[in-house]
């Protein structure tokens, strides 16, 4: 590189001063810097690509796991578990846990339905077998009066049992499709309670169980509600108590009331419910003991009916000590609809 400066004398150029220097060293330095920047850029690009691939793998691997999991669910395998070491604690991890929880709930519901179908099949077969057997027996010519009365009584009892089972299945169908509607009227809770006690007292006496009702306030005012549905709830709770209460036990219906709510307790000295099952007994199909008769729908249906009346059911129980089921009802349901 050269730099030239004119030499002037009396404003006349007499010559030129020139300074020349070699740029080889500068070119070498610039080349080294450029090469270094290029190499650094390539290195940074490789690191970026590597990080991107690892990040993409961290996203795609859980998604592939979820895809395989979903495919297994689609083929009916609800016992599959996710490989938790491949699932991170992030949004995808939350989605994976939701998938696993969903599979567990589906599997639980499937098993409950299978047990329910098995129980219902047994519940249908037993009374039908009795009805068929006794109807054939009653056709004999030499049957005695006592045998005739016994057979007709058994046929009547088993028929009522079948009717109750069919009604529960119909109510379950209506609840599932949200088609239960209340026929609101004024309900005399005191008369309804005494009527249920009188209706089921014979059954309680047959099992050597003391069934009674008490009222904690002197005057129980009429409330708004569906009389038939409320009777259904109370009958269902008392029948359950009779079923699980041993001889020499007692069942007491306790009614109390304030300005806003009416509270009814059904207290028994029955076999009780295990603590881990207290939250499950109101679920559809659930039965703590599938060897006992029943569809597993009664409490679930009762719970929905009580909810429609603006109330709730609470269960307190201790195994081999007894159970207290309390349900509340709004006195003026039409004002809350």
């Amino acid at each position: 590189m050269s730099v030239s400066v004119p030499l002037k004398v009396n404003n006349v150029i007499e010559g030129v001063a020139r300074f020349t220097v070699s740029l080889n060293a500068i070119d070498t330095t610039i080349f080294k810097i450029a090469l270094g920047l290029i190499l650094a850029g390539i290195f940074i690009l490789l690191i970026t690509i590597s990080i991107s691939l690892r990040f993409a793998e961290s996203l795609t691997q859980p998604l592939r796991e979820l895809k395989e999991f979903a495919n297994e669910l689609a083929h009916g395998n609800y016992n599959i578990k996710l490989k938790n070491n491949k699932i991170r604690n992030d949004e995808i991890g939350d989605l994976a846990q939701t998938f696993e929880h969903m599979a567990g709930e589906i599997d639980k519901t499937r098993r409950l339905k299978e047990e329910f179908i098995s129980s219902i099949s047994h519940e249908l077969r037993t009374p039908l077998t009795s009805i068929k057997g006794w109807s054939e027996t009653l056709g004999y010519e030499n049957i005695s009066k006592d045998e005739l009365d016994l057979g007709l009584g058994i046929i009547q009892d088993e028929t009522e049992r079948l009717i109750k089972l069919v009604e529960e299945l119909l109510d379950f169908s209506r609840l599932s499709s949200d088609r239960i509607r209340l026929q609101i009227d004024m309900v005399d809770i005191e008369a309804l309670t005494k009527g249920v006690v009188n209706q089921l007292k014979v059954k309680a006496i047959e099992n050597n169980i003391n069934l009674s009702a008490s009222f904690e306030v002197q005057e129980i005012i009429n409330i708004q509600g569906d009389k038939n549905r409320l009777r259904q709830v109370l009958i269902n709770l008392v029948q359950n108590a009779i079923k699980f209460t041993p001889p020499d036990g007692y069942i007491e219906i306790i009614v109390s009331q304030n300005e806003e709510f009416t509270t009814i307790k059904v207290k028994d000295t029955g076999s009780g419910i295990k603590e881990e099952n207290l939250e499950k007994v109101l679920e559809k199909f659930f039965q703590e003991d599938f060897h006992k008769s029943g569809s597993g729908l009664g409490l679930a249906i009762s719970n929905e009916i009580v909810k429609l009346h603006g109330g709730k059911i609470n269960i307190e129980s201790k195994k081999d000590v007894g159970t207290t089921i309390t349900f509340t009802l709004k006195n003026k349901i039409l004002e809350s609809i």
Side-chain angles (χ1 to χ4, degrees):
M1 181 177 69
S2 298
V3 178
S4 299
V5 178
L7 300 176
K8 295 181 180 181
V9 178
N10 295 326
N11 219 12
V12 177
I13 297 175
E14 296 291 338
V16 176
R18 177 175 291 173
F19 176 76
T20 302
V21 65
S22 175
L23 294 179
N24 287 337
I26 295 175
D27 288 343
T28 301
T29 301
I30 292 174
F31 175 76
K32 288 180 179 179
I33 293 173
L35 182 62
L37 290 174
I38 291 172
L39 291 176
I42 293 173
F43 180 72
I44 292 172
L45 181 62
L46 291 174
I47 291 176
T48 303
I49 292 173
S50 175
I51 293 174
S52 299
L53 290 175
R54 289 180 64 86
F55 180 70
E57 179 66 16
S58 70
L59 290 177
T60 57
Q61 177 59 38
L63 291 176
R64 284 197 295 267
E65 179 77 14
L66 286 176
K67 180 183 176 182
E68 294 174 2
F69 187 82
N71 287 334
E72 291 293 330
L73 289 181
H75 288 87
N77 182 11
Y78 302 114
N79 295 318
I80 186 173
K81 297 294 181 182
L82 287 166
K83 300 174 183 177
N84 294 326
N85 60 330
K86 296 183 179 180
I87 304 298
R88 296 177 179 271
N89 188 22
D90 53 15
E91 288 79 5
I92 295 179
D94 292 341
L95 178 62
Q97 291 178 359
T98 301
F99 264 65
E100 193 167 38
H101 178 70
M102 178 186 68
E105 290 299 311
I106 292 174
D107 186 51
K108 183 174 73 172
T109 302
R110 178 185 59 81
R111 286 186 285 105
L112 284 174
K113 285 187 176 180
E114 288 178 353
E115 292 170 346
F116 166 73
I117 291 172
S118 175
S119 175
I120 286 296
S121 299
H122 173 74
E123 287 295 304
L124 290 171
R125 186 183 302 111
T126 302
L128 288 174
T129 301
S130 296
I131 292 172
K132 182 177 183 296
W134 275 102
S135 62
E136 291 176 350
T137 301
L138 296 179
Y140 295 156
E141 294 181 357
N142 297 326
I143 189 169
S144 66
K145 179 68 167 56
D146 291 339
E147 289 177 326
L148 179 62
D149 292 340
L150 175 63
L152 290 175
I154 291 176
I155 289 175
Q156 182 178 357
D157 290 342
E158 297 297 348
T159 302
E160 290 177 355
R161 182 175 166 187
L162 282 174
I163 290 172
K164 182 177 183 296
L165 179 60
V166 172
E167 286 176 347
E168 285 187 346
L169 292 173
L170 288 173
D171 281 342
F172 167 67
S173 175
R174 294 189 189 104
L175 284 172
S176 299
S177 57
D178 194 26
R179 288 188 290 110
I180 278 191
R181 294 292 180 267
L182 300 180
Q183 302 294 325
I184 304 298
D185 202 349
M186 298 307 296
V187 181
D188 186 338
I189 290 294
E190 184 174 354
L192 185 146
T193 303
K194 291 179 178 178
V196 170
V197 170
N198 291 331
Q199 179 180 342
L200 299 178
K201 199 149 193 171
V202 174
K203 183 69 174 177
I205 292 173
E206 289 176 356
N207 290 272
N208 199 23
I209 296 170
N210 182 27
L211 174 61
S212 63
S214 63
F215 302 90
E216 295 186 341
V217 292
Q218 290 184 351
E219 185 177 354
I220 302 292
I221 65 171
N222 294 350
I223 69 171
Q224 295 174 350
D226 188 323
K227 180 179 180 180
N228 292 327
R229 289 297 181 184
L230 292 179
R231 180 186 288 110
Q232 177 184 353
V233 171
L234 192 54
I235 288 175
N236 187 28
L237 297 182
V238 175
Q239 284 181 334
N240 277 351
I242 292 174
K243 184 193 306 183
F244 292 101
T245 299
D248 298 323
Y250 77 86
I251 301 168
E252 185 179 11
I253 304 173
I254 306 169
V255 182
S256 61
Q257 191 178 66
N258 57 31
E259 292 182 357
E260 187 176 0
F261 290 100
T262 296
T263 302
I264 301 175
K265 294 182 181 179
V266 178
K267 185 177 181 181
D268 66 58
T269 56
S271 57
I273 304 168
K274 294 180 181 177
E275 185 176 354
E276 62 268 23
N277 291 330
L278 282 175
E279 295 182 358
K280 301 176 184 177
V281 292
L282 295 179
E283 297 177 0
K284 299 178 180 68
F285 311 123
F286 181 81
Q287 292 188 82
E288 188 174 44
D289 185 359
F290 280 92
H291 296 94
K292 292 282 188 178
S293 62
S295 63
L297 293 174
L299 279 177
I301 293 170
S302 298
N303 186 41
E304 294 299 324
I305 292 173
V306 170
K307 285 181 180 179
L308 290 174
H309 282 81
K312 63 179 181 179
I313 289 182
N314 181 61
I315 301 177
E316 298 176 359
S317 184
K318 191 171 182 180
K319 197 63 180 173
D320 299 323
V321 174
T323 302
T324 300
I325 300 181
T326 306
F327 66 96
T328 58
L329 306 167
K330 268 187 171 294
N331 295 339
K332 298 179 180 179
I333 188 175
L334 291 178
E335 296 181 1
S336 62
I337 294 178

